[in-house]
DNA sequence: ACTTTTTCT
């Protein structure tokens, strides 16, 4: 830790004033001085950015903020009344308190306090069951007493559900109502109040707040939890906060909490911040490897599961596979095998128990997801076959055996062809450990890895590649620019993305008009950053009023920002396809989505109607949520909510043209035999079989490029090539388009237009001269008249 | 020629 960390509080206060004499200035000079001014509470930038003065009376008397001990806090926790509310502690509180005192982290409370009191940043490493997520924020609360000077402590989580459930737990632990002293803030749900001093929130939510207040001045401390997840949001937050701590908030405390043994990397990144290691509390898991590599992991997984079922003591099994189809298939086969095993068992031999095979993946409707918590059948066992959702997001108690084939679907981004795709790839060692750990939550367990130990050591990466290196950065770059980070190349990423990926993002934003050639955020870019969607979508929304289709664009963008609404159960594919055809629009999938949403509202959002039509009511509900949020943003930034006349022929043209203004970079032109070629990079692609496009459209725009058994374009709508010249003239300058039929088309249209324009110009020019002549004549007459008038007056 | 992973604003 640097010299700064050892300074006294007085020096810190001095620092605050010298480094930032006028906080308003810092704010105004940032690039996000948008039309939508920050709300007044957010403008309340504290001139006194340091700790509150030591209270001389009241329940906290005797504590010196930033210098307390565990003993002092524990005495108050053990007291009669809750110092934060004044109310007497409940019995339930005391019961929970007793359990909290047994958590591994409790033993290190003083050690933690000592570290954070002498260092601005601390890295904390703790496995599951250590209690770090619930306790550390409370320890800080008792030490910094942020409520005494109107500040808060934030603890960020990568996932919404975690933020919400941990907040609820901690509210109980502190004997307060959720939303009062302890609250949470996630998209669509702000459960906080002016009383809130401890706030759990998603990383994305804190990033949004940072856009309005670059200094995050409401917070006395920020805790980044689950940092090992390395989500894009976590990574950006770490970069921002590191910089903020060093430059503008020397008083801000930062704790980075991580689960894996990768803490040294975090430590190094945070300028050798001190590290606290907290042991976890889980049961031991015995790990087994296969002696030889398995040629087919699905076969091996089924074989292994059956073997466990037949030979191992009671206990449920968790099998990790990669996707929906694979999982459903595996479940069917496991059921079959188990039945066969039971019917074939010899009379004298013990009969193996029944096997309950339950699938688990995110798109599963909630009531089916609930089935993973069903009890195993009498005398038998339960197998949960899951995607990596069971790795971190969902915990199933009672799992004793884990089958880990070592694969998951992972997003990869290829900046050269600007395509994100999902690939079945080997997992990392960290992920493998995480999977194994799922067997030891309630008692000692076993993990069967379907690969060799040598392969684990040699082939698996220690950590999963951070998402930042596997994703399209369009939206992230826009956000960073809006956060006032001008110099992206030198932004302190923990793992810097490939320069080509950054280039692609800047190029995209430039084509969309969000940034200038020099990389400066434009007014359009500032507006775009206000919308919680990718830049192509926000561009569509901003352009919508010009095309008189704000309402329609809101619906389409919302529908494209939730998971697929169309259900297609394996045993009812035909019926589902027929139901979907009812919503089809001849010009493409985007307009079909519009039809679906209208029908959904028209049928009073009825869940029964949804299922009868093979639509997912849950996704439609969230589409409505997204739509409401987006429309609020539009109103806030002053974009009119207008709609065209649906009975006019031009109505759908306007909508399609508006979509083209956002997605003009994703356009393909038909070839023979149902093939298409993408216009800018000459990729051969096929319409995804799910498309409802009825015409043989020559030109189409698409939403997604998917690589599965083939190159497909998904969610496709027919467009007119001429629109491309209107919405992106420089991008579609025929000279810039690769040679081929697409370029020929564009060149022909451009030429026809040029000729037409020349004729029009000449006509206009003639008309103008005629008009001018006429005007001059009239002016002349008027002057004559006036002149005569004057003469007449003079005569009088 | 024949179909989707996870999460967040």
């Amino acid at each position: 830790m640097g010299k700064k960390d050892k300074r006294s509080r007085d020096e810190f206060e001095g620092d605050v004033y010298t480094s930032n004499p006028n906080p308003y200035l810092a704010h105004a000079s940032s690039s996000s001085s948008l039309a939508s001014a920050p709300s007044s509470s957010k403008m309340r930038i504290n001139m006194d950015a340091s700790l509150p003065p030591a209270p001389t009376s009241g329940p906290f008397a005797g504590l010196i903020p930033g210098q307390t001990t565990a003993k002092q806090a524990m005495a108050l926790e053990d007291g009669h009344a809750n110092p934060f509310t004044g109310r007497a502690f409940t019995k339930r509180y005391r019961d929970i308190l007793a359990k909290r005192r047994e958590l591994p982290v409790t033993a290190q409370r003083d050690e933690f306090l000592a570290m954070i009191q002498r260092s601005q940043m601390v890295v904390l490493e703790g496995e599951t069951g250590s209690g770090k997520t619930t306790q550390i924020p409370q320890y800080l609360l008792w030490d910094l007493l942020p409520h005494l000077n109107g500040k808060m402590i934030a603890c960020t989580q990568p996932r919404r559900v975690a933020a919400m459930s941990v907040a609820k737990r901690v509210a109980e632990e502190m004997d307060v109502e959720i939303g009062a002293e302890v609250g949470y803030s996630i998209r669509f749900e702000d459960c906080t109040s002016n009383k809130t001093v401890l706030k759990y929130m998603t990383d994305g939510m804190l990033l949004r707040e940072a856009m309005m207040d670059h200094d995050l001045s409401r917070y006395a401390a920020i805790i980044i939890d689950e940092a090992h997840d390395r989500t894009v949001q976590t990574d950006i937050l770490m970069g921002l906060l590191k910089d903020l701590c060093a430059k503008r908030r020397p008083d801000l405390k930062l704790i980075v909490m991580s689960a894996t043994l990768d803490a040294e990397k975090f430590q190094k990144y945070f300028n050798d911040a001190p590290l606290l290691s907290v042991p976890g509390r889980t049961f031991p898991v015995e790990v087994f490897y296969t002696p030889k590599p398995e040629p087919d992991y699905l076969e091996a997984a089924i074989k292994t599961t059956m073997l466990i079922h037949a030979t191992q003591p009671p206990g449920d099994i968790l099998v990790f596979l990669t996707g929906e189809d694979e999982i459903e298939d595996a479940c069917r086969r496991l059921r079959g095998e188990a039945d066969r095993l039971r019917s074939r068992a010899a009379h004298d031999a013990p009969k193996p128990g029944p096997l309950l095979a339950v699938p688990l993946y995110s798109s599963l409707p909630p009531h089916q997801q609930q089935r993973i918590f069903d009890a195993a059948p009498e005398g038998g066992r339960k197998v949960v076959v899951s995607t990596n959702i069971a790795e971190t997001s969902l915990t199933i108690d009672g799992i004793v055996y884990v089958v880990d084939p070592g694969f998951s679907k992972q997003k990869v981004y290829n900046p050269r062809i600007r395509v994100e795709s999902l690939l079945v790839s080997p997992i990392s060692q960290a992920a493998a450990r995480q999977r194994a750990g799922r067997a030891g939550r309630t008692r000692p367990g076993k993990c069967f890895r379907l690969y060799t130990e040598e392969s684990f050591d040699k082939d698996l990466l220690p950590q999963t590649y951070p998402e930042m290196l596997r994703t399209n950065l369009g939206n992230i770059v826009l956000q960073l620019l809006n956060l006032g980070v001008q110099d992206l190349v030198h932004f302190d990423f923990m793992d810097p993305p490939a320069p080509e990926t950054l280039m692609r993002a800047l190029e995209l934003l430039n084509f969309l008009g969000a940034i200038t050639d020099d990389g400066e955020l434009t007014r359009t870019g500032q507006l775009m950053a206000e919308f919680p969607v990718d830049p192509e979508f926000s561009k569509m929304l901003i352009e919508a009023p010009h095309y008189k289709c704000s309402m329609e664009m809101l619906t389409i963008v919302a529908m494209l920002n939730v998971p697929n609404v169309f259900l297609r159960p394996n045993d009812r594919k035909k019926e589902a396809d027929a139901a979907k055809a009812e919503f089809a629009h001849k010009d493409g999938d985007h307009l079909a989505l519009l039809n679906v949403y209208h029908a959904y509202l028209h049928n009073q959002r009825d869940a029964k109607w949804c299922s009868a039509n093979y639509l997912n009511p849950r996704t439609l509900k969230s589409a409505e949520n997204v739509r409401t949020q987006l429309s609020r943003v539009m109103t806030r930034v002053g974009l009119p909510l207008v709609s065209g006349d649906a009975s006019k022929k031009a109505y759908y043209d306007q909508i399609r043209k508006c979509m083209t203004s956002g997605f003009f970079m994703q356009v393909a032109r038909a070839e023979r035999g149902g093939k298409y070629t993408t216009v800018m990079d000459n990729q051969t692609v096929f319409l995804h079989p799910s498309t409802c496009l009825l015409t043989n459209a020559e030109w189409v725009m698409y939403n997604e490029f998917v690589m599965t058994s083939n190159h497909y374009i998904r969610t496709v709508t027919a467009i007119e090539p001429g629109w491309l010249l209107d919405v992106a003239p420089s991008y579609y300058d025929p000279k810039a388009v690769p040679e081929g039929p697409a370029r020929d088309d564009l060149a022909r249209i451009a030429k026809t237009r040029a000729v037409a324009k020349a004729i029009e110009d000449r006509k206009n020019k003639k008309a103008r001269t005629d008009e001018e002549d006429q005007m001059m004549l009239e002016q002349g007459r008027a002057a004559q008249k006036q002149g005569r008038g004057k003469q007449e007056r003079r005569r009088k």
Side-chain angles (χ1 to χ4, degrees), chain A residues 244-321:
Chain A
L244 182 60
C245 279
K247 293 190 184 143
R248 305 194 303 277
R249 286 288 310 275
D251 62 307
L252 180 70
K253 297 290 186 184
L254 177 64
I255 290 99
V256 178
M257 307 205 288
S258 147
T260 51
L261 296 164
D262 202 29
E264 274 169 37
K265 183 167 182 175
F266 289 98
Q267 233 187 323
K268 208 170 150 196
Y269 177 69
F270 289 105
N271 312 326
D272 297 316
L275 170 71
L276 185 66
S277 291
V278 185
R281 185 180 284 163
T282 49
F283 296 91
V285 176
E286 202 179 344
V287 175
F288 301 91
Y289 293 92
T290 53
K292 290 191 316 249
E294 289 291 341
D296 182 335
Y297 71 83
L298 184 59
E299 291 299 326
I302 290 169
K303 220 171 70 192
T304 309
T305 308
M306 290 315 296
L307 205 63
I308 296 171
H309 181 47
T311 64
Q312 295 286 316
D316 296 338
I317 311 173
L318 173 61
V319 185
F320 284 100
L321 289 178

Side-chain angles (χ1 to χ4, degrees), chain A residues 361-374:
Chain A
Y361 42 86
S362 75
S363 61
L364 214 58
H367 65 275
Q368 286 191 46
Q369 266 190 22
Q370 279 299 312
R371 289 183 51 210
I372 62 168
F373 300 113
D374 288 356

Side-chain angles (χ1 to χ4, degrees), chain A residues 47 57 159 266 416 510 540 754:
Chain A
M47 299 299 286
S57 62
R159 284 167 284 278
F266 289 98
R416 229 191 54 248
N510 183 235
M540 281 162 56

Side-chain angles (χ1 to χ4, degrees), chain A residues 448-502:
Chain A
F448 299 88
R449 292 185 174 154
L450 307 181
Y451 38 91
T452 64
E453 185 162 16
E454 194 192 359
S455 178
F456 177 88
D457 291 332
K458 279 195 193 157
D459 302 339
L460 303 195
L461 290 170
Q463 302 287 332
T464 310
Y465 250 36
E467 191 189 3
M468 185 74 81
L469 307 182
R470 299 184 285 119
T471 196
N472 157 16
L473 294 179
N475 200 18
I476 290 123
V477 167
L478 183 62
Q479 283 191 41
L480 280 172
L481 289 170
N482 198 41
L483 282 160
V485 177
Q486 253 100 22
D487 189 1
L488 288 161
V489 179
H490 295 108
F491 183 75
D492 194 356
F493 291 105
M494 197 161 168
D495 287 284
E500 199 177 353
T501 309
L502 273 179

